[in-house]
């Protein structure tokens, strides 16, 4: 097993081009199943979650090729409607295959994704919406068996779930009539999915607002598309500069997608400037605590940025209160940050981060994707060396964390973990 060795305390200087967005590329790749033709997708980041997604596409009969950041999927002939349990378990978001398989073939079988490291992640909204479009869904021994040619319908989500919105959009493209989703998620990745579907000849409008309308049953054709940049990866690198001081630039990213996070970093004392497709940050040696941060659906403060911003604020002057409103178990990085000397008290959904004057390098372990990235961010502000293990979590969402941090001036290298006998 390898680890990152990260040297802290060195102010940063450098620039990073931001990779393609994990949360866009996964539904976009699933959407290729709707097309009896070939799709060419650019800016596909090299992530383990993308590898699992491509494995599912291959299993279903697609011809898949990857050359660098470009993936070609030929879904002309599908030979299966069944996603094996092993692949479903690797990635919670594999549930997004349900809509397009059902929309294309009229039947689908996959296993229940179950809980994950962030706490329980139910899919009741996905299932009830697909049922209301005409799917017959039965649960047998942990497998979801779905049948039915879908019709359009009106779906109102009780929570603006990102995954449910995407699943319904994908199923509805293959359905016969018109579908309207009310209280849809408004995340930029939903707009990216709509833009991809439009490139294939689908009739979808409203993404980015709370009401999305899909006129299904259009004849789709192959197409070419470039995935948007990953706003959470950009937040991670801005937080990295904020954690230790110095200056940095992230390019290729739409600043509007990050405005709630850059507002927090500005309040904490950083100078943040946003250009057409880049953001620059200048950070002081010490940040100030900020007003309470509450995670919320887009355009609110993203739950995925909670951990990395918390890591940056561990040494701020004063106390910052975080309220995590999206997931029940999203403070697992806190114990690891405490090993580095952070003073964070958690009670239920609330975490109070009392700034400490110093953090110290330590052996810490990533237990989830963004929590793992947060430990790398904290390590930059710590004195001495941090040994960060659990890299498989980080590789789910960061194509080259070490390379990107190196470009920002961080001393980081990968090494084999030495396991002591005691
Ligand atoms: C997506 C993102 C994830 C991000 C999250 C919230 C992907 C691949 N992942 O996850 O990185 O943290 O949005 O921005 O895009 N819920 C239900 N029933 C459902 C579905 C959701 O109760 O059927 C609840 C969830 O438990 C959670 C909330 O709704 O509390 C939001 O979840 P959702 O937006 O669905 O998140 P994901 O799509 O899983």
């Amino acid at each position: 097993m390898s680890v990152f060795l990260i040297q802290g305390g060195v102010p940063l200087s450098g620039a990073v081009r931001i990779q393609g967005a994990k949360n866009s590329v996964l539904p976009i790749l699933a959407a290729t199943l709707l097309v009896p033709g070939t799709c060419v997708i650019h800016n596909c980041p090299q992530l383990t979650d993308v590898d699992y997604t491509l494995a599912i596409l291959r299993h279903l009969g697609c011809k898949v090729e990857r050359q660098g950041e470009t993936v070609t999927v030929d879904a002309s002939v599908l030979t299966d409607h069944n996603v094996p349990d092993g692949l479903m378990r690797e990635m919670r978001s594999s549930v997004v295959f349900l809509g397009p398989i059902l929309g294309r073939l009229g039947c689908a079988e996959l296993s229940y994704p179950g809980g994950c490291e962030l706490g329980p992640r139910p899919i009741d909204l996905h299932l009830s919406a697909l049922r209301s479009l005409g799917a017959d869904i039965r649960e047998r021994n942990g497998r979801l068996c779905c049948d039915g040619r879908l019709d359009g319908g009106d779906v109102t989500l009780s929570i603006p779930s990102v995954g449910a919105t995407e699943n319904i959009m994908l199923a509805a493209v293959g359905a016969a009539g018109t579908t309207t989703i009310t209280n849809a998620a408004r995340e930029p990745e939903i707009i990216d999915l709509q833009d991809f579907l439009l490139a294939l000849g689908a009739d979808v409008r409203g993404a980015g607002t709370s009401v999305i309308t899909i006129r299904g049953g259009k004849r789709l054709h192959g197409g070419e598309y470039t995935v948007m940049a990953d706003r959470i990866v950009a937040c991670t690198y801005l937080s990295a500069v904020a954690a230790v001081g110095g200056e940095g630039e992230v390019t290729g990213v739409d600043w509007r997608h990050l405005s709630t996070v850059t507002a927090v970093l500005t309040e904490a004392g950083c100078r943040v400037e946003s250009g057409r497709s880049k953001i620059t940050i200048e950070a002081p040696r010490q940040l100030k605590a900020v007003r309470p941060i509450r995670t919320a659906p887009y355009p609110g403060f993203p739950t995925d940025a909670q951990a990395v911003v918390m890591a940056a604020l561990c040494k701020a002057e004063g106390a910052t209160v975080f309220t995590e409103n999206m997931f029940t178990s999203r403070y697992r990085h806190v114990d690891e940050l405490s090993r580095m000397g952070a003073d964070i008290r958690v009670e239920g959904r609330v975490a109070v981060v009392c700034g400490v004057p110093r953090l110290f390098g330590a052996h810490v372990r990533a237990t989830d994707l963004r929590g793992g990235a947060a430990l790398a961010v904290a390590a930059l502000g710590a004195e001495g060396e941090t040994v960060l293990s659990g890299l498989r979590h980080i590789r789910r969402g960061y194509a080259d964390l070490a390379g990107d941090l190196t470009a920002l001036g961080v001393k980081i290298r990968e090494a084999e973990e030495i396991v002591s006998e005691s």
Side-chain angles (χ1 to χ4, degrees):
M1 294 281 199
S2 56
V3 294
F4 285 146
L5 304 176
I6 305 170
Q7 192 62 45
V10 185
L12 305 193
S13 172
V16 184
R17 182 162 183 85
I18 298 299
Q19 67 179 62
K22 171 178 90 69
N23 289 353
S24 268
V25 76
L26 301 181
I28 283 175
L29 286 170
T32 61
L33 286 170
L34 290 164
V35 187
T38 300
C39 296
V40 181
I41 323 273
H42 304 291
N43 208 24
C44 284
Q46 311 257 7
L47 305 172
T48 47
D49 272 12
V50 171
D51 295 340
Y52 293 130
T53 304
L54 300 184
I56 292 174
L57 291 173
R58 285 194 184 98
H59 174 86
L60 296 171
C62 301
K63 293 192 187 110
V64 179
E65 275 174 37
R66 182 195 255 282
Q67 274 199 322
E69 309 290 291
T70 297
V71 170
T72 305
V73 182
D74 176 359
S76 300
V77 181
L78 298 186
T79 52
D80 208 332
H81 64 278
N82 180 333
V83 183
D85 190 54
L87 286 171
M88 282 300 292
R89 277 179 193 276
E90 293 294 350
M91 199 176 57
R92 134 99 202 176
S93 46
S94 49
V95 70
V96 81
F97 278 96
L98 184 53
I101 301 177
L102 199 52
R104 170 89 181 267
L105 298 176
C107 58
E109 191 181 322
L110 32 79
S111 46
Y112 213 84
C116 81
E117 60 265 20
L118 307 183
R121 292 178 81 167
I123 56 165
D124 54 312
L125 301 176
H126 301 239
L127 301 185
S128 64
L130 294 176
R131 283 191 175 109
S132 74
L133 299 185
D136 173 26
I137 304 177
R138 271 164 291 173
E139 214 181 316
R140 274 189 229 123
N141 307 325
R143 300 284 291 166
L144 291 164
C145 304
C146 315
D147 275 302
R149 290 278 163 197
L150 305 183
D151 281 322
D154 290 339
V155 177
T156 299
L157 294 173
S158 54
I159 302 170
S161 155
V162 174
T165 302
E166 292 165 345
N167 231 340
I168 302 162
M169 286 167 77
L170 295 174
V173 166
T178 298
T179 300
T180 304
I181 312 172
T182 302
N183 198 24
R186 292 181 284 164
E187 269 67 1
E189 292 77 13
I190 308 271
I191 302 178
D192 217 27
L193 180 60
Q194 170 176 284
D195 288 345
F196 176 61
L197 293 170
L198 292 175
L200 306 180
D203 184 346
V204 184
R205 59 193 72 177
T209 75
S210 295
V211 181
I212 299 176
T213 307
I214 305 109
R215 286 176 56 211
K218 300 276 166 208
R219 185 184 289 271
L220 302 188
H221 49 73
E224 195 163 349
Y225 192 74
T226 301
V227 174
M228 64 177 268
D230 196 309
R231 61 195 169 101
I232 304 301
V233 170
C235 290
T236 304
Y237 299 149
L238 294 175
S239 301
V241 178
V244 60
E247 55 189 40
E249 182 177 295
V250 292
T251 62
V253 70
D254 186 335
W255 65 270
R256 291 168 300 184
H257 298 164
L258 280 72
S259 57
T260 46
V261 173
T262 51
V264 165
L265 296 175
T266 304
E267 191 186 339
C270 300
R271 226 175 89 165
V272 182
E273 274 178 24
S274 304
R276 246 172 70 83
S277 67
K278 70 172 186 186
I279 302 174
T280 56
I281 181 167
E282 256 181 67
R285 283 308 292 242
Q286 194 186 19
L287 301 180
K288 299 174 291 194
V290 296
R291 283 170 295 172
I293 295 175
R294 298 182 185 87
T295 65
Y298 191 85
F301 188 94
T303 175
D304 288 349
Q306 174 253 107
V308 293
V309 170
M310 180 182 287
L313 289 169
C314 283
K315 289 199 309 174
E317 191 187 342
T320 302
V321 177
F322 286 78
T323 306
E324 173 53 59
N325 292 311
M326 304 300 291
F327 295 104
T328 50
S329 179
R330 208 158 194 184
Y331 287 134
R332 294 178 68 195
H333 47 284
V334 165
D335 283 348
E336 301 297 304
L337 290 173
S338 304
R339 284 171 178 256
M340 301 171 84
D343 178 356
I344 306 171
R345 292 139 211 218
V346 175
E347 214 170 293
R349 293 184 172 277
V350 176
V352 180
V353 181
C354 299
V356 291
R358 299 161 80 188
L359 292 177
F360 302 94
H363 284 243
V364 289
R365 180 171 290 274
T367 55
D368 64 88
L369 166 59
R370 305 302 169 189
L375 300 178
V377 169
L380 304 178
E383 293 170 21
E385 187 176 75
T386 291
V387 180
L388 172 55
S389 60
L391 303 189
R392 72 184 173 84
H393 293 288
I394 292 174
R395 293 195 169 115
R396 286 188 40 226
Y398 295 83
D400 186 11
L401 184 73
D404 288 347
L405 289 179
T406 302
L408 286 171
V410 175
K411 286 195 166 51
I412 175 171
R413 66 188 175 87
E414 197 167 331
E416 277 310 300
E417 185 171 23
I418 299 165
V419 184
S420 77
E421 294 289 311
S422 56

